[in-house]
Structures are given as C-alpha cells and as structure tokens.
Amino acid sequence: MLKIAIQKSGRLFEDSIKLLKECGIEISNGNKQLKTVADNFPLEIYFLRDDDIPQYVYDGVADIGIVGENVLLEKNKDIDLVYRLGFGKCRLSIAVPKGVEYSSIQDLQGLKIATTYSTILQNFLTEKKINAEIHEISGSVEIAPGIGLAHAICDLVSSGSTLFTNGLKEVEVILKSEAVLTANKNLSPEQKEILEKLLLRINAVKKAKNSKYIMLNAPNHQLKNISAVLPGMKSPTIVPLPEEGWSSVQSVVNENDFWDIIEKLKSFEAEGIIVLPIEKMIV
Ligand code: PRT
Ligand code: ZN
C-alpha cells in the first residue's frame, strides 16, 4: 500500500483527483473524510492542507504527495521532487504599487516586502545581494502596500488580476511553479514498485495529452514526403485505399508541432485529414 497526500480543497484538489481518475484509480468516498482507499489500486489517499503535505511526506505519514512546487520549496523539507504534473501553474513574483518607478532589482534595496513565502524570498534576495526587510504575513498579501504595511509584496500570480485590482505591478518573477509529485526518500521496495506503476500511468496520461492521433489520405507518390514529417511512435501506419494510387496514413503527432505539420501535409497533397485526441499512450 502506498499513501498519497493531496489537497483537501482548493486549487489543486480537482486536478489531483482528475489525474488519479485518468490513471484508472477509482476513489469512491470523495473528500469528506480525512482518508480513503482506492478501489482498484494499492493507494490510500489522505486529504490535507497543502502547507502540511511536505511535512507529512517527510515524516512518512504519507509516502508521496501532490503539492505546488512553491510550497515544496518554501517548506524546504528533505523530500524528492519526482514528477512535474503540469497543472496548478503560477509564478511567485515581486510586485510594487503601479505609480512606483522600477528599473532594476536594485530598486528593491531597503524596501519592506510582505509575503507568505519568506524562505524562497530570502534565498532570492540573498542570491541577488539585495538588502530588504521581509515582513511575513499569513494571507491577503496584496493589500499590504495599500494599508502601509510594506512597500512591495511577493506573492503567487496567475492571471495577474489580483495585482491589477490592488493597484500593483509585477516587477520580478522569482519562481515558476506547478503542481509536483513529491516522495519520501526512504520508500520500501514494495512502495517504490507501486510508485513506479503510478508513474507509468501518469506518464501515459501526460504523453497522451501532448499528442494527437492523425489520419489522412495521400497519393502514393507523396508517401515518402509524408512519412518524413510524420515520425509517429515508430513510423506511420500506411494502408492502401481501394482507390488506385492512394493510401491512408495514420500517425501520432506532438501538439506543439501540430500546425506546422498540417501545413506540410497539405503541401504534400494530403486530403481528408482527421485529428483525434488520444486517451492514453504507452511507449
Ligand atoms: O487550504 P489550503 O492551505 O490547502 O489551500 P491554500 O489556500 O493555501 O492554497 P490554494 O488552494 O489557494 O493554492 C494551492 C496551490 O495552487 C498553490 O500553492 C499554488 O501552487 C497553486 N496556484 C496556482 C495558486 C494560484 N495559481 C493562485 N493564483 N495559488 C494561489 N493563487 C492566488 C494568489 O495567492 C493570489 O491571491 O491567487 C491570487 C492571484 O491570482 P490571479 O489570477 O489574480 O493572478
Ligand atoms: Zn495552504
């Protein structure tokens, strides 16, 4: 049995549950309880506050956990970052009131900066040789300059609208963060084996998300050109069509290269191009 800690409620909860579901792991009890056991995978799920997850993983109360990289770094526990999960993306940034002139990081010298991320901020300031006073507060950081508590803030930003509505502007990004899978350093061989199985599934889900299945018809004299732009997992699947001189080509393409590839395929006389999402991909 492997114990995983996920956020009880909040920004990472739904995506964490969704990921487990996509990995074929069924959880019937929801998050009303502190913990529950998956029906079809040796996984026990603990629902916790995100701030507590690194400590629990470090203590071995949970073996692995899903938490923002920002929280992992702030808590600074000796646990492993095993996998970047690609959701819960945000950045930890320094912001100052809109009207304040800011031309370089030197403008932070001597300022008072309010934050809930004092460890990460202190490391950043030390590295940049900036002497600023950190004022640690537990929430509503964005109102600190407005009420005269600090000159600047250091907080998480995603859309930027919180900064905007509080009359602040982002001047330094100190960390780009996303949800990560973290693990205790002393897992038993049995726990490691379960983690490997889970990672295989997570990988399959992630790979599939970044890929599309593509089907098209092409004249046979273009098959060489088309195969060159459609590497697929090994090579494209090519099946002759009943119509003389034509074939059906099927392959997998990376989401990022998608439009580029489509343009090339069109120039090689591809027709009837169909693109499908992939649910899982095991390579
Ligand atoms: O109750 P618990 O302690 O578990 O939850 P929490 O309230 O501490 O955390 P929660 O649910 O707000 O965030 C969990 C994690 O989501 C964070 O640790 C980040 O890794 C990630 N995340 C992603 C964010 C944001 N985006 C985000 N925008 N966490 C917080 N914010 C806040 C930010 O602090 C600011 O107040 O949203 C506001 C800014 O958003 P924009 O869109 O206006 O820029
Ligand atoms: Zn929290």
Side-chain angles (χ1 to χ4, degrees), residues 34-212:
L34 170 65
K35 61 177 181 172
T36 183
V37 178
D39 299 334
N40 55 357
F41 195 81
L43 196 66
E44 193 170 4
I45 299 103
Y46 283 64
F47 301 99
L48 300 168
R49 282 199 58 200
D50 66 345
D51 314 69
D52 297 334
I53 290 176
Q55 180 74 48
Y56 279 122
V57 171
Y58 177 73
D59 290 340
V61 174
D63 305 307
I64 61 174
I66 296 178
V67 74
E69 195 175 354
N70 49 300
V71 174
L72 183 66
L73 290 172
E74 181 61 26
K75 300 297 173 187
N76 199 19
K77 301 285 172 220
D78 191 18
I79 53 181
D80 287 334
L81 192 168
V82 182
Y83 199 95
R84 287 177 201 278
L85 296 167
F87 60 82
K89 286 192 176 170
C90 58
R91 49 199 191 271
L92 184 64
S93 293
I94 297 178
V96 298
K98 236 179 260 160
V100 170
E101 255 184 57
Y102 188 94
S103 53
S104 83
I105 198 163
Q106 289 306 323
D107 292 332
L108 295 176
Q109 291 286 11
L111 297 193
K112 196 183 211 187
I113 309 174
T115 191
T116 50
Y117 290 91
S118 54
T119 306
I120 300 176
L121 177 58
Q122 187 58 67
N123 288 342
F124 174 79
L125 294 175
T126 306
E127 187 195 309
K128 300 286 178 189
K129 300 192 169 57
I130 301 294
N131 235 320
E133 185 187 334
I134 296 176
H135 190 81
E136 185 161 357
I137 53 178
S138 58
S140 304
V141 175
E142 65 280 357
I143 64 168
I147 58 171
L149 200 65
H151 303 105
I153 67 162
C154 169
D155 199 12
L156 297 175
V157 182
S158 45
S159 68
S161 70
T162 302
L163 293 184
F164 184 79
T165 52
N166 285 281
L168 300 167
K169 62 177 178 189
E170 190 174 359
V171 293
E172 300 285 342
V173 175
I174 69 177
L175 172 74
K176 286 203 173 130
S177 178
E178 64 187 273
V180 297
L181 188 70
T182 175
N184 182 284
K185 281 188 179 296
N186 304 308
L187 298 182
S188 70
E190 187 222 354
Q191 289 167 330
K192 275 188 188 148
E193 205 176 296
I194 302 171
L195 177 58
E196 285 307 316
K197 278 189 188 156
L198 180 63
L199 284 172
L200 179 101
R201 293 186 185 198
I202 292 176
N203 239 324
V205 170
K206 290 288 152 202
K207 277 231 162 65
K209 277 204 177 127
N210 293 332
S211 306
K212 296 273 180 275

